[in-house]
Amino acid sequence: MRSKSKQVLSLWLEGFREACSLHRVVILCHRSRKLLLRTGQCFLLNGLIFLGSLGVFKWFIDPALQWILPDQCSPLTSQEFCSYGGFYAFLRGGLLQLFYVFWFYPLYMLSFILSNIWYNDIAKHGFEAIEKSDISSAEALREGEAPASLNSANSERPSGLGGVMIGIGEQVYSILLLTFFFLEVYVVGVIPYIGKILNFLLLSWMYAYYCYEYKWNFSGIPLEKRLDFFESNWAFFTGFGSPCVLAIFFLSPLVSGALMAILFPLFVLTATGSGPEKSIGAPRRTWKCAGLGRLPIFYVADTLSMLALSIFRLESPHEI
């Protein structure tokens, strides 16, 4: 147990260190002007506009409304003015809700839509920059090293229409799997006492998988191999996802959403610049996590996804 605990801690620290290797972002942005442009656009929208709007609201607009429409009387305030305290509180609350409805919520949706489009571009340009860069083999996929494992992964998938259909099926299943896993994260969070701890753990795995999924898509690694590798290296990916969660775990939903929209592409690039998946094609006994065993992280989400797909297959003939 002591040796396994040391192994888990070592892999967790390695994953945490990989996630914090933000110098890769600077290197990759220096290599690719397109990547620098997309990353700058993401920072401008989510950092200056979205997060900046939240700061202006908290530090200027809200205090100004408190001063103009107070709900508490001071000794210097006249009794006639104090009689309107309840109405002022109601009016101030209504104005605050208008700010949320007509500014923050639409801005949040705009940020969510554009950011998801830009994340794919950032991962794509980062992956292309990796192939052109001279980063050390411990941090990047090199052109001479990556094809061996990637080609072996791609050779298992048939070419032509069959391969396209398999790819579409994997994408549908992946969307269902991550959707159910997100719901699982939300449900676990409301469990008394241990809910927050489990929520932190599941969020760490979820963000770690999101960060690496972009790279694995461009690398052509089959979904089954991704899940097997991820669940077998659960200690490493727990550490990789921890900085993502630590940055937002104790903040309000809007602030955490804005901050994660800024930080997430940086973690995607650090994942793009790391290379743990080089060993996907290697025997499992040679992996760093050998001896820890595979942890069924996606078991519940996988069961619900297969159930949803089976229901769809049963209902579709009747609909036709």
Side-chain angles (χ1 to χ4, degrees):
M1 288 298 296
R2 180 176 297 180
S3 62
K4 288 188 176 182
S5 298
K6 289 182 178 180
Q7 187 180 4
V8 169
L9 180 60
S10 175
L11 290 171
W12 186 91
L13 290 174
E14 182 179 349
F16 194 93
R17 179 184 59 81
E18 287 286 319
C20 295
S21 300
L22 297 179
H23 63 281
R24 295 173 184 160
V25 179
V26 179
I27 296 174
L28 294 177
C29 288
H30 178 72
R31 295 280 179 176
S32 174
R33 180 175 292 272
K34 293 180 179 179
L35 176 61
L36 179 62
L37 176 62
R38 273 288 182 259
T39 306
Q41 288 175 330
C42 194
F43 178 81
L44 178 64
L45 173 62
N46 299 305
L48 294 182
I49 299 179
F50 190 8
L51 195 59
S53 297
L54 292 173
V56 170
F57 176 81
K58 179 180 179 180
W59 293 316
F60 295 99
I61 297 179
D62 191 26
L65 290 176
Q66 287 278 3
W67 179 72
I68 297 172
L69 302 171
D71 56 355
Q72 295 182 353
C73 295
S74 65
L76 301 178
T77 307
S78 65
Q79 189 65 31
E80 181 180 358
F81 189 78
C82 287
S83 62
Y84 293 97
F87 173 73
Y88 288 154
F90 174 79
L91 182 60
R92 187 179 66 254
L95 292 175
L96 294 178
Q97 290 301 317
L98 289 177
F99 273 105
Y100 278 94
V101 171
F102 291 103
W103 180 248
F104 290 126
Y105 293 144
L107 188 60
Y108 179 83
M109 293 302 300
L110 177 65
S111 170
F112 179 81
I113 295 172
L114 290 180
S115 294
N116 278 277
I117 297 174
W118 291 343
Y119 293 158
N120 189 72
D121 291 341
I122 288 172
K124 178 182 177 181
H125 298 320
F127 187 79
E128 293 172 350
I130 284 291
E131 297 180 340
K132 300 176 182 178
S133 68
D134 55 355
I135 302 177
S136 63
S137 59
E139 296 182 335
L141 284 171
R142 292 203 175 198
E143 188 175 356
E145 295 177 355
S149 60
L150 299 184
N151 288 339
S152 63
N154 291 331
S155 62
E156 299 178 3
R157 179 178 296 180
S159 58
L161 182 61
V164 173
M165 296 303 296
I166 291 176
I168 295 175
E170 285 187 351
Q171 289 298 321
V172 172
Y173 172 77
S174 179
I175 292 173
L176 284 174
L177 182 75
L178 295 176
T179 301
F180 283 120
F181 190 76
F182 179 79
L183 293 175
E184 181 183 350
V185 171
Y186 178 79
V187 172
V188 164
V190 301
I191 298 177
Y193 304 113
I194 62 172
K196 289 296 182 181
I197 299 175
L198 294 177
N199 185 256
F200 184 94
L201 185 62
L202 293 178
L203 279 175
S204 298
W205 284 327
M206 185 180 73
Y207 282 121
Y209 186 86
Y210 278 145
C211 289
Y212 275 91
E213 187 185 31
Y214 290 97
K215 182 181 182 180
W216 291 340
N217 279 332
F218 292 120
S219 301
I221 299 175
L223 180 62
E224 183 179 358
K225 286 186 175 293
R226 300 182 207 174
L227 297 178
D228 180 37
F229 184 76
F230 190 90
E231 293 184 335
S232 298
N233 291 272
W234 53 270
F236 172 86
F237 290 109
T238 305
F240 189 93
S242 295
C244 309
V245 184
L246 281 172
I248 64 170
F249 196 69
F250 302 101
L251 301 176
S252 63
L254 276 178
V255 176
S256 63
L259 187 59
M260 178 49 65
I262 301 171
L263 297 177
F264 184 71
L266 305 183
F267 291 119
V268 168
L269 290 176
T270 59
T272 304
S274 66
E277 73 285 340
K278 292 178 185 179
S279 59
I280 285 183
R284 187 181 297 180
R285 64 179 180 275
T286 63
W287 295 352
K288 291 183 178 181
C289 64
L292 294 179
R294 179 174 177 176
L295 189 65
I297 298 171
F298 297 104
Y299 176 78
V300 176
D302 174 68
T303 303
L304 293 176
S305 299
M306 296 306 296
L307 179 62
L309 290 174
S310 64
I311 292 175
F312 177 78
R313 286 197 298 268
L314 289 175
E315 291 182 352
S316 56
H318 299 288
E319 294 174 359
I320 295 174

